[in-house]
Amino acid sequence: MGEALIEVRDLEKVFHVRRRAGRWRRTREEVRAVDGISFTVDRGSMVGYIGPNGAGKSTTIKMLTGILTPSGGRLRVAGIDPARERTRLARRIGVVFGQRTTLWWDLPLRDSYALVRRLYRVEEARFRANMERCVELLDLAELLPVPVRQLSLGQRMRGDIAAALLHDPEVLYLDEPTIGLDVISKAKVRTFLRDLNKELGTTVLLTTHDLSDIEQLCSRVMVIDHGRLMYDGGLAGLREIGDGERTLVVDLERELPPIEVPGARTVRVEGPRQWLAFPASASAAPLVAAVAAGHPVADLSLREPDIEDVIARMYVRGAAGAPEVV
Amino acid sequence: MGEAVRAYMLTAGMWMRSTMTYRLSFALTFFGNIVLTSLDFVAILIMFAHVEALGGFSVAEVGLLYGTTSFSLSVAHVLTGELHEVGSRIRDGSLDVMFVRPVPVLVQLAADRFALRRLGRAAQGLAVLGWSLPQLDVDWTPWRVALLVTMLLSGAAIFMAIYVLGAVFQFYAQDAAEVQNSFTYGGSTLLQYPPTIFGRELVQGVTFVVPLAFVNWIPTMRLLGRDDPLGLPGFVDFLSPAVAAALLLVAGLAWRAALGTYRSTGS
């Protein structure tokens, strides 16, 4: 679709780990954290990057931001080689680490922002406009005089996101942006990111454990495991691959025996509530009609397949020697 | 370079303003620093109450050695002392953050938590110098004054390079902050005393291996009109700025190499 902002070709990161083997001997072991990954990310897109712990997600992000030097392959972000021109790249990207703050721990939020402004040489007018936007949408007004160390996790995360955006980065990387946040904070962060992408066209690449982040934000997902890209495509495609099933949750007016309708099977019954599973590719409309025609229905809701299941299934298939997805 | 200095000043300025909001606390730690480090020199004075000279050096001459190394170390400590923390920053992952800002990592790290109160030791060093200089039998020609000033500045630069090298070492051995201490604080303690009281091998080590002798020992011998203990050619007495520059260059290159091998932490 658009112009490629991030280009990754055969990217590798190999760590050498020394292990004790016996009293004096030490063996050198090679750990391929990222093992030949290729992808491009177009300007203005919003991409989720997921995988289990230790899959190589953070290592990839760290190479994209210039923190780690790749062991092999080619890497360009906005035409810049991150490892060689780190400071030039830094002016054009924003980074948010879920696990640690990019703000100055002992300084009030306001002072942190002032320092960011001067380090990045952000013009006064642009700074003021960006601040206004972030303060309003991220609800920061009351937090500005508070030292960062006194902020709650959710507040700190919002503060961090604002700090990463004051210099109008072309791409925003978020490493586990919703980790440890409560439901309300999560919702705030997600809404903000969605608007940011829509209104300012900022490219967003996020890693997460929380698959609902991806469901709500990203049209494209990359799945990584053991340093390799297992899947790269739309969310819907990922569901198909995992043979996903959707679930119709039916609340009946009273307790009844399991509903029997064609094209679905009842997987669970709990008092008047029943769960009906049907293929993700099938339409829910005829099923709803069939259920409503034969039963006293009080309420209905549709549940999309859980991506976590899908990915787990994908891993099982991968391990069983099935053809690789990519 | 200009960009780096600017970023350093911005960050340091921010920290100064933030510490200055607690003026009393600043004053207490600043003067506390002076008092504490002064006890150091009191110990030397007590020693001289029992002996006339130490390794052939009078109390004023030892004061010169003490004041110069104390001042140089303190200036280096104010400007780059925070580099000492790099090991714990590698461990807790906060070093990562410095890579994503448009400023050299070394500058950010050095300027972080910039604390003027550390100058307390420099003030004490200057006070000791002020006490000992008038007692010395030295004809203060402009050349000798220039030698003294370049000695103080080169000494600070040498200690800064050692702070950087210590930080580099912590990339490879993350719990090794104490190694750095042994060269900075340990080195400075060594330099407070005349080289004549130490073994020849030690003096050679701090001349040729870790060139601490250029902080004050070698130029001071010229100031006091003494022979240097290793009998090196006369021009060596003026080499401190060159040694400092070379050491800074080595430290800079080593730092760059260390950043290239940085492995970050798990998450």
Side-chain angles (χ1 to χ4, degrees):
Chain A
M1 110 200 166
E3 150 211 10
L5 184 64
I6 301 174
E7 291 179 82
V8 175
R9 183 103 11 247
D10 302 321
L11 187 65
E12 280 179 27
K13 182 69 192 179
V14 182
F15 291 115
H16 293 282
V17 183
R18 255 177 227 144
R19 239 175 272 252
R20 294 184 70 138
R23 185 175 295 190
W24 304 113
R25 240 157 29 88
R26 285 184 180 219
T27 53
R28 239 161 94 95
E29 235 170 80
E30 231 181 44
V31 178
R32 306 186 75 81
V34 172
D35 192 8
I37 283 182
S38 301
F39 62 83
T40 58
V41 174
D42 288 335
R43 206 176 272 278
S45 55
M46 216 160 172
V47 180
Y49 197 48
I50 57 178
N53 284 333
K57 291 173 304 211
S58 291
T59 305
T60 311
I61 297 279
K62 282 173 185 169
M63 287 192 276
L64 288 172
T65 50
I67 296 172
L68 293 177
T69 312
S71 314
R74 187 189 140 90
L75 180 58
R76 291 289 181 278
V77 177
I80 298 172
D81 179 351
R84 304 189 72 175
E85 291 187 272
R86 194 182 51 70
T87 46
R88 191 157 84 92
L89 179 74
R91 295 184 187 282
R92 305 179 60 172
I93 63 170
V95 187
V96 176
F97 299 102
Q99 318 262 31
R100 57 189 64 102
T101 184
T102 56
L103 302 166
W104 287 264
W105 204 241
D106 300 299
L107 296 181
L109 206 49
R110 192 198 308 276
D111 291 2
S112 270
Y113 293 152
L115 190 49
V116 166
R117 176 179 97 74
R118 304 189 68 184
L119 288 179
Y120 283 82
R121 293 182 184 275
V122 184
E123 287 162 34
E124 185 66 47
R126 218 167 56 146
F127 174 74
R128 211 170 304 145
N130 285 342
M131 269 308 279
E132 251 168 50
R133 183 191 153 85
C134 288
V135 165
E136 190 199 323
L137 296 178
L138 288 169
D139 225 349
L140 294 174
E142 285 174 15
L143 307 180
L144 289 176
V146 182
V148 173
R149 67 183 130 79
Q150 290 175 16
L151 297 178
S152 76
L153 187 61
Q155 294 170 333
R156 206 216 74 207
M157 180 60 64
R158 283 181 277 139
D160 256 305
I161 292 176
L165 293 171
L166 295 177
H167 59 290
D168 289 323
E170 290 161 58
V171 53
L172 179 64
Y173 300 100
L174 301 126
D175 197 3
E176 304 282 357
T178 57
I179 199 164
L181 299 194
D182 59 49
V183 182
I184 297 167
S185 301
K186 265 186 197 177
K188 256 185 207 162
V189 166
R190 285 175 188 155
T191 311
F192 179 83
L193 292 177
R194 201 162 28 219
D195 293 350
L196 175 81
N197 176 257
K198 207 176 292 168
E199 287 165 24
L200 302 181
T202 309
T203 308
V204 178
L205 182 66
L206 63 97
T207 74
T208 184
H209 265 82
D210 186 341
L211 295 159
S212 48
D213 280 349
I214 305 267
E215 273 181 324
Q216 295 188 18
L217 294 174
C218 306
S219 52
R220 178 177 164 199
V221 191
M222 291 190 284
V223 182
I224 182 177
D225 191 33
H226 297 302
R228 288 169 176 274
L229 210 51
M230 306 264 296
Y231 175 84
D232 183 357
L235 200 56
L238 186 59
R239 290 207 184 97
E240 270 166 37
I241 282 160
D243 307 308
E245 285 185 319
R246 291 199 281 175
T247 311
L248 185 68
V249 183
V250 183
D251 282 326
L252 299 168
E253 279 167 6
R254 57 182 184 278
E255 288 186 32
L256 284 172
I259 300 170
E260 278 177 39
V261 284
R265 55 198 172 82
T266 306
V267 289
R268 201 167 145 206
V269 178
E270 227 171 69
R273 176 173 285 191
Q274 302 199 5
W275 282 260
L276 276 71
F278 64 102
S281 49
S283 165
L287 183 64
V288 171
V291 171
H295 304 85
V297 175
D299 197 7
L300 285 169
S301 67
L302 196 58
R303 201 167 287 169
E304 294 297 317
D306 199 333
I307 316 180
E308 208 142 32
D309 291 346
V310 176
I311 290 171
R313 240 171 271 160
M314 199 163 72
Y315 288 139
V316 173
R317 278 171 38 145
E324 239 180 86
V325 186
V326 172
Chain B
M1 189 67 196
E3 191 67 4
V5 172
R6 174 182 174 271
Y8 187 97
M9 308 267 277
L10 282 176
T11 314
M14 184 60 77
W15 283 107
M16 271 166 64
R17 249 166 291 150
S18 102
T19 47
M20 279 306 175
T21 51
Y22 307 101
R23 278 165 203 282
L24 182 65
S25 154
F26 172 81
L28 285 177
T29 45
F30 181 81
F31 290 108
N33 237 330
I34 293 183
V35 172
L36 216 67
T37 46
S38 296
L39 289 178
D40 232 22
F41 191 65
V42 169
I44 292 178
L45 289 179
I46 291 171
M47 191 162 61
F48 271 96
H50 299 279
V51 292
E52 278 293 298
L54 185 64
F57 282 62
S58 70
V59 65
E61 289 171 321
V62 172
L64 175 63
L65 287 172
Y66 181 97
T68 47
T69 181
S70 210
F71 177 83
S72 293
L73 178 67
S74 169
V75 169
H77 190 213
V78 171
L79 293 176
T80 53
E82 192 64 20
L83 291 177
H84 188 256
E85 294 304 311
V86 71
S88 60
R89 283 176 179 282
I90 290 172
R91 278 197 301 277
D92 70 19
S94 57
L95 190 67
D96 282 9
V97 172
M98 298 188 170
F99 279 81
V100 302
R101 295 195 190 117
V103 175
V105 175
L106 186 63
V107 171
Q108 293 180 60
L109 195 60
D112 204 46
R113 288 169 206 287
F114 181 84
L116 265 189
R117 63 185 148 72
R118 290 172 178 160
L119 272 182
R121 194 189 165 99
Q124 183 254 0
L126 285 180
V128 171
L129 271 186
W131 173 82
S132 56
L133 287 183
Q135 302 181 48
L136 291 172
D137 185 21
V138 173
D139 175 19
W140 289 105
T141 62
W143 278 107
R144 291 220 173 83
V145 173
L147 182 62
L148 178 66
V149 172
T150 37
M151 166 165 72
L152 290 172
L153 297 180
S154 310
I158 289 172
F159 277 126
M160 277 193 256
I162 288 171
Y163 272 113
V164 175
L165 286 170
V168 168
F169 191 63
Q170 290 186 50
F171 273 83
Y172 304 99
Q174 279 155 34
D175 304 314
E178 295 310 317
V179 174
Q180 189 174 23
N181 284 346
S182 70
F183 285 105
T184 50
Y185 291 118
S188 172
T189 307
L190 188 77
L191 297 177
Q192 289 167 8
Y193 297 96
T196 43
I197 65 168
F198 297 104
R200 192 178 167 80
E201 288 75 17
L202 184 71
V203 177
Q204 280 171 335
V206 296
T207 306
F208 301 115
V209 185
V210 185
L212 286 170
F214 290 90
V215 170
N216 64 353
W217 273 359
I218 291 175
T220 304
M221 295 309 117
R222 169 69 60 155
L223 273 184
L224 297 176
R226 290 169 176 271
D227 295 330
D228 82 68
L230 296 178
L232 297 170
F235 71 91
V236 173
D237 298 350
F238 302 104
L239 282 186
S240 289
V243 168
L247 200 60
L248 280 174
L249 182 71
V250 169
L253 292 175
W255 173 262
R256 183 175 291 192
L259 279 196
T261 62
Y262 177 53
R263 303 174 49 154
S264 186
T265 45
S267 63

